[in-house]
Amino acid sequence: MTSPGGDDPGGARKSAKSAGAGLYGPGGWSGSRRLLRMLRDIMKGSGDQQHRLDQVVHLIAQDMVAEVCSIYVVTPNSRLLLFASQGLRPEAVRNTSFKFGEGLVGVIADSGRPLAFSEAQKHPSFAYRPETGEEIYQSLMGVPILRSGRVMGVVVIQNKTRRHYQEEEIEALETVAMVLAELLTVGESGTVEEMLGWQKDVLPSRLSGLMLTDGLAVGTVALHNRGIVIKQVVAEDPEAEKARLNQALEEMRDAIDVMLARKDMAAVGEHREVLETYRMFSEDHGWLSRIREAVLGGLTAEAAVQKVQYDNRARMEQVSDPYIRERLADLEDLGNRLLTHLIKPDMLDQRVLPDDMVLVARDLGPAELLDYDLKHLRAVVLEEGSPSSHVAIMARALGVPMIGRCAGIVKQAQEGDPVIVDGDNEQVILRPSREIRENYTLAMAIKAQRQAELAETKDLPAVTHDGVDIGLSVNAGLLIDLPHLHESGADGIGLYRTEIPFMIRNSMPDVAAQEDLYARVLDHAKEKHVVFRTLDVGGDKTLPYWRGDREENPALGWRSIRIGLDRPGLLRLQLRALLRAGAGRRLDIMFPMISQVSEFRAARALLEREQARAAALGQVLPRDVQVGAMLEVPALVWQLTALFRDCDFVSVGSNDLFQFTFAADRGNPRLARRYDVLSPAFLAMLHGIAIHARAAGRRVTLCGEMAGDPLEAMAVLGCGYDHLSMAPPSVAAVKSMLRSLDLGHLRHFLQGQLTAPHSSLRPALTEYAARYGVAI
């Protein structure tokens, strides 16, 4: 394990004998079990928490051959207080403290992972506290004390000599930290907080994040811990624990198989792929061997599973590969499911979840979200998460507000805290005042009333006040999205993201599987049109079974149609499945991220080869095939005349087109408000595209976040568009807007604004809507 700025304590695992005396000295794992038994005896003994911790630090220092062992505990104001020490000056205990991120102790707590240094005082994060007398100690190793994913404290050992701590020693101290978490939480004398009279922080706190799903919610914090409380860490009989583990594994696999065999699984096909992935992970040799090794070391089966989860989390945090990091949430879910089979029903957390639950977690797997009662789930807040993650996709489909990348939420939120989740403004308010809570509750009531009024527009035609027909479609990518097509009153699916089913499978779907999926989409749509976008992977959309090379700038790298043209077999198989699914029906196919006309022609040539092949085999062909291009790359704007000669339609992907035009990563919070899609420059570009399309007699649609925002959609219509595709929940609001809009008057007004020297036309368009009664 290599620590940033620290040492490499061995890399490859070394034999237990090489680690010296103590926990991994003579006797190896038997030494580990001996220490754990001694710790268990201390926990069962008499005395208060302080006395027990004093005994613990003495025992650890002795067993790990260290001059110093110290335990720091997190206080309610998020400081790390020195609570017990063997080796440091006694006057430092309960006086020395660090902030998270301050000093090496603070860095360990802030990162949530172990660190080891042979020359600690030379590290730039080292913070000297003269009252401790630690200037004589050279080396330091520390691990976080974790419980349910929360940092409760840090345990540290120090030596006077330059000691290179081995990986086995780090893992041993992590095991000890698990026992310490139990000691800090449970005891006849109460928790450390209760003993010192600490009060839980009740001050309001506002945290920023990234909107993954829009919406507003007022509710009560429920910390995601899967209802699992491990009450026994140290095992009495390792062989019995190994048998319990094997039995739980079989029960978990059988339970997954039962779920896969359910008749209704066919109706939620993407969920089936998720479960199949879990089933595959449950056989992973490396994962299982690490759990069994921890059991042999003296842990109970459930504590061993949790320890491996902590180890994986720490290692994965050092990995930048987006696929590995995203799959970590799925692997966490598997470990949690195994724990539910290990823990007896009377040992499970019996908490009653609130009716207005706001789920707070470090991260979630998609199936974990479905484990909660959606009738009572108001919102989700994640410390990690990304717009393309499985759980975010699921939340959007279910209409659950979700904020991700909310730094510090797991540390600051407490079970039962009142909380406000404002997805629209990308903020979370913990412990709001009564006045703020009442204001948000009123805002939600007004919004609900507004949504009820908008729902009445479902069956009304999408026609502007001056009689212009507008096409409104929805975006989709999962089978569970399909009911929204008819519920929203949309005209069709303007963008079906075919890559999503690829992303959540553990292997490449063959032609038959793809054909079945696309046919079900068309069947559900009935007479309404569906535009299938071919595989758009690469960048932040990775496939679990196909790993490309690491790229410096993946958004501009080998992705999308570039992969399809370089691997034509992959694209041809997908086109073959689409043609079979569309037999006898209209079929709309769109190629993504076209940068030059030659790419579109090459992709269309592959489609024509597949059409010729199907005809030669006597297969029934679609009655009409429309072929379009996704316009996301600014270079294509200067090739529209040639493009419109070859394609049947164009769909403008406003999200990527905007970020590529302004060279601004839309996922970067520092740039989120710097540029505006309603800038004259960007609207002028959209206007020019619409003019070329009209001159060529081709259909042009805009899909992206702009299409679903009433004010921004109004601007798009003003630029000459009459087809929009958006998320299903946005259809009603956009329809209400356009029905109150005099489109001819708006287009005349906007024409004079496109050359204005302003950074944004948002204020002018907002004023226009207010003046002329446009419902935005």
Side-chain angles (χ1 to χ4, degrees):
M1 181 182 301
T2 303
S3 306
D7 307 313
D8 181 356
R13 295 191 179 276
K14 301 177 180 177
S15 67
K17 293 182 180 180
S18 69
L23 194 61
Y24 282 90
W29 280 112
S30 63
S32 170
R33 289 195 292 271
R34 183 184 67 252
L35 175 59
L36 292 178
R37 283 197 299 269
M38 295 173 72
L39 288 173
R40 182 187 63 206
D41 292 341
I42 291 175
M43 294 171 65
K44 290 181 177 180
S46 59
D48 62 17
Q49 228 76 326
Q50 181 68 65
H51 176 67
R52 295 178 186 179
L53 288 174
D54 290 340
Q55 289 181 294
V56 165
V57 293
H58 176 77
L59 178 61
I60 296 173
Q62 183 180 49
D63 198 84
M64 299 200 74
V65 195
E67 284 85 9
V68 172
C69 177
S70 304
I71 295 174
Y72 295 80
V73 176
V74 177
T75 67
N77 61 349
S78 296
R79 292 190 69 88
L80 292 145
L81 177 67
L82 178 60
F83 202 81
S85 181
Q86 168 71 31
L88 297 183
R89 291 174 181 166
E91 57 265 30
V93 175
R94 299 204 193 184
N95 288 315
T96 298
S97 67
F98 296 93
K99 295 185 294 185
F100 272 72
E102 179 187 22
L104 297 179
V105 172
V107 170
I108 293 166
D110 197 44
S111 66
R113 59 188 179 85
L115 294 176
F117 307 93
S118 61
E119 295 183 276
Q121 296 185 31
K122 293 184 178 181
H123 192 278
S125 294
F126 179 80
Y128 175 58
R129 293 289 191 269
E131 70 274 14
T132 65
E134 65 178 337
E135 63 272 11
I136 63 174
Y137 303 110
Q138 296 296 317
S139 52
L140 178 149
M141 175 174 70
V143 304
I145 302 171
L146 301 168
R147 190 172 183 87
S148 299
R150 299 166 65 87
V151 176
M152 300 180 63
V154 174
V155 57
V156 172
I157 65 170
Q158 293 173 269
N159 287 87
K160 292 180 180 179
T161 60
R162 292 177 55 187
R163 178 175 173 181
H164 292 271
Y165 299 100
Q166 305 300 314
E167 184 174 357
E168 291 90 343
E169 294 174 300
I170 296 175
E171 292 190 351
L173 196 57
E174 287 182 296
T175 302
V176 170
M178 293 182 65
V179 179
L180 288 175
E182 184 177 354
L183 179 58
L184 292 175
T185 307
V186 182
E188 294 178 1
S189 60
T191 65
V192 172
E193 289 186 1
E194 292 169 347
M195 186 173 68
L196 292 180
W198 290 341
Q199 298 296 316
K200 187 171 67 175
D201 187 6
V202 294
L203 295 176
S205 178
R206 178 188 173 279
L207 298 93
S208 299
L210 177 68
M211 182 190 72
L212 304 182
T213 305
D214 63 359
L216 186 65
V218 176
T220 303
V221 167
L223 296 173
H224 172 68
N225 61 14
R226 306 297 302 120
I228 296 168
V229 176
I230 297 177
K231 295 185 177 181
Q232 184 177 352
V233 175
V234 183
E236 300 283 352
D237 182 352
E239 288 300 322
E241 293 302 313
K242 189 165 71 171
R244 288 182 61 233
L245 174 64
N246 292 335
Q247 181 180 349
L249 283 166
E250 289 305 314
E251 290 176 358
M252 181 185 71
R253 292 165 183 156
D254 290 344
I256 296 174
D257 289 340
V258 169
M259 295 177 71
L260 286 167
R262 283 166 41 175
K263 293 182 179 179
D264 60 351
M265 282 302 296
V268 283
E270 283 77 21
H271 299 170
R272 181 179 181 85
E273 279 83 21
V274 170
L275 290 175
E276 287 174 343
T277 300
Y278 292 150
R279 186 64 174 83
M280 177 187 68
F281 282 161
S282 72
E283 304 282 357
D284 184 80
H285 175 72
W287 180 65
L288 293 174
S289 64
R290 289 195 298 273
I291 296 174
R292 288 176 175 134
E293 185 180 0
V295 168
L296 290 175
L299 296 181
T300 60
E302 51 266 40
V305 173
Q306 192 171 76
K307 180 184 184 300
V308 170
Q309 284 184 302
Y310 290 160
D311 291 345
N312 282 340
R313 200 175 297 149
R315 284 171 171 81
M316 292 301 185
E317 284 179 354
Q318 303 177 52
V319 176
S320 59
D321 186 286
Y323 166 69
I324 296 178
R325 290 182 61 83
E326 191 171 301
R327 294 294 75 74
L328 175 60
D330 295 343
L331 191 58
E332 284 275 304
D333 191 6
L334 181 70
N336 287 327
R337 288 176 186 277
L338 178 56
L339 286 172
T340 62
H341 287 278
L342 276 167
I343 297 177
K344 298 176 182 178
D346 60 346
M347 294 176 64
L348 290 174
D349 183 4
Q350 299 298 319
R351 64 176 178 161
V352 177
L353 295 174
D355 292 338
D356 58 348
M357 173 174 50
V358 173
L359 191 61
V360 173
R362 188 170 302 279
D363 206 350
L364 281 177
E368 286 183 304
L369 179 62
L370 296 174
D371 283 340
Y372 288 91
D373 188 346
L374 298 177
K375 293 183 295 184
H376 300 303
L377 182 61
R378 299 291 180 263
V380 177
V381 184
L382 302 177
E383 195 150 301
E384 299 181 4
S386 68
S388 62
S389 65
H390 291 175
V391 71
I393 293 168
M394 196 71 69
R396 283 194 291 272
L398 298 170
V400 177
M402 178 178 284
I403 289 181
R405 300 182 191 175
C406 189
I409 185 65
V410 172
K411 189 186 305 176
Q412 295 191 37
Q414 301 286 341
E415 190 82 20
D417 276 345
V419 62
I420 294 170
V421 178
D422 186 353
D424 299 337
N425 294 300
E426 300 183 314
Q427 64 178 352
V428 177
I429 304 174
L430 282 172
R431 301 174 289 276
S433 66
R434 184 176 65 179
E435 182 180 2
I436 293 176
R437 190 179 175 94
E438 288 175 350
N439 288 340
Y440 268 92
T441 301
L442 177 60
M444 288 179 60
I446 295 173
K447 186 172 183 178
Q449 181 180 355
R450 169 67 174 158
Q451 289 175 336
E453 294 171 353
L454 292 175
E456 297 176 359
T457 68
K458 171 191 170 184
D459 297 321
L460 298 176
V463 180
T464 66
H465 190 65
D466 53 339
V468 180
D469 289 323
I470 303 296
L472 299 181
S473 301
V474 295
N475 303 330
L478 291 167
L479 292 176
I480 58 175
D481 294 336
L482 299 182
H484 300 311
L485 169 60
H486 301 289
E487 292 169 1
S488 65
D491 301 321
I493 298 176
L495 171 62
Y496 190 87
R497 303 180 180 94
T498 62
E499 65 272 5
I500 294 177
F502 281 73
M503 292 168 64
I504 60 178
R505 288 174 177 259
N506 55 29
S507 62
M508 179 77 71
D510 59 19
V511 173
Q514 292 185 59
E515 177 189 355
D516 177 68
L517 172 63
Y518 305 145
R520 288 159 64 187
V521 173
L522 291 170
D523 290 342
H524 193 95
K526 298 178 181 177
E527 75 285 354
K528 297 186 177 184
H529 73 276
V530 179
V531 178
F532 291 96
R533 182 177 69 186
T534 59
L535 197 59
D536 184 13
V537 294
D540 61 349
K541 303 174 186 175
T542 57
L543 300 180
Y545 40 83
W546 185 10
R547 306 284 300 283
D549 295 331
R550 180 178 175 82
E551 297 180 291
E552 289 294 328
N553 195 341
L556 301 179
W558 194 57
R559 51 169 291 204
S560 200
I561 195 62
R562 298 166 184 175
I563 293 177
L565 294 178
D566 289 353
R567 299 289 184 270
L570 175 68
L571 181 55
R572 287 189 64 179
L573 290 178
Q574 183 178 31
L575 294 174
R576 188 175 303 169
L578 284 166
L579 290 171
R580 291 182 182 179
R585 305 187 258 203
R586 170 179 167 172
L587 180 64
D588 290 55
I589 297 174
M590 178 167 62
F591 298 115
M593 203 181 174
I594 298 295
S595 300
Q596 50 192 14
V597 176
S598 59
E599 290 177 335
F600 178 81
R601 290 174 176 168
R604 184 158 193 165
L606 292 177
L607 173 61
E608 290 170 352
R609 288 178 63 182
E610 284 301 316
Q611 288 176 292
R613 177 183 181 278
L617 293 174
Q619 297 174 358
V620 178
L621 293 171
R623 58 176 171 80
D624 181 30
V625 178
Q626 298 284 303
V627 188
M630 195 92 176
L631 200 165
E632 306 162 90
V633 181
L636 196 59
V637 174
W638 284 272
Q639 305 171 62
L640 291 176
T641 300
L643 177 66
F644 282 128
R645 283 198 294 263
D646 293 323
C647 72
D648 300 308
F649 66 93
V650 161
S651 184
V652 177
S654 62
N655 295 351
D656 276 344
L657 183 62
F658 174 73
Q659 75 166 347
F660 293 156
T661 298
F662 284 92
D665 179 4
R666 55 193 170 98
N668 187 329
R670 292 186 176 182
L671 301 178
R673 303 286 184 265
R674 191 178 187 93
Y675 306 104
D676 194 346
V677 291
L678 297 184
S679 69
F682 192 62
L683 292 179
M685 176 183 286
L686 295 180
H687 181 245
I689 296 170
I691 289 175
H692 274 87
R694 189 178 301 109
R698 295 290 188 264
R699 182 176 87 248
V700 62
T701 300
L702 185 136
C703 65
E705 294 177 6
M706 284 187 77
D709 181 273
L711 179 65
E712 295 171 7
M714 182 185 82
V716 172
L717 296 177
C719 288
Y721 292 75
D722 52 17
H723 288 83
L724 304 175
S725 188
M726 65 204 72
S730 302
V731 173
V734 172
K735 184 184 288 188
S736 178
M737 175 275 295
L738 69 87
R739 286 180 58 83
S740 63
L741 175 67
D742 186 326
L743 186 55
H745 187 273
L746 172 67
R747 287 178 173 173
H748 178 74
F749 165 78
L750 196 57
Q751 189 67 37
Q753 301 289 319
L754 296 181
T755 56
H758 306 308
S759 61
S760 174
L761 296 181
R762 190 173 295 274
L765 288 167
T766 301
E767 181 184 352
Y768 178 93
R771 178 182 301 175
Y772 295 103
V774 182
I776 61 168

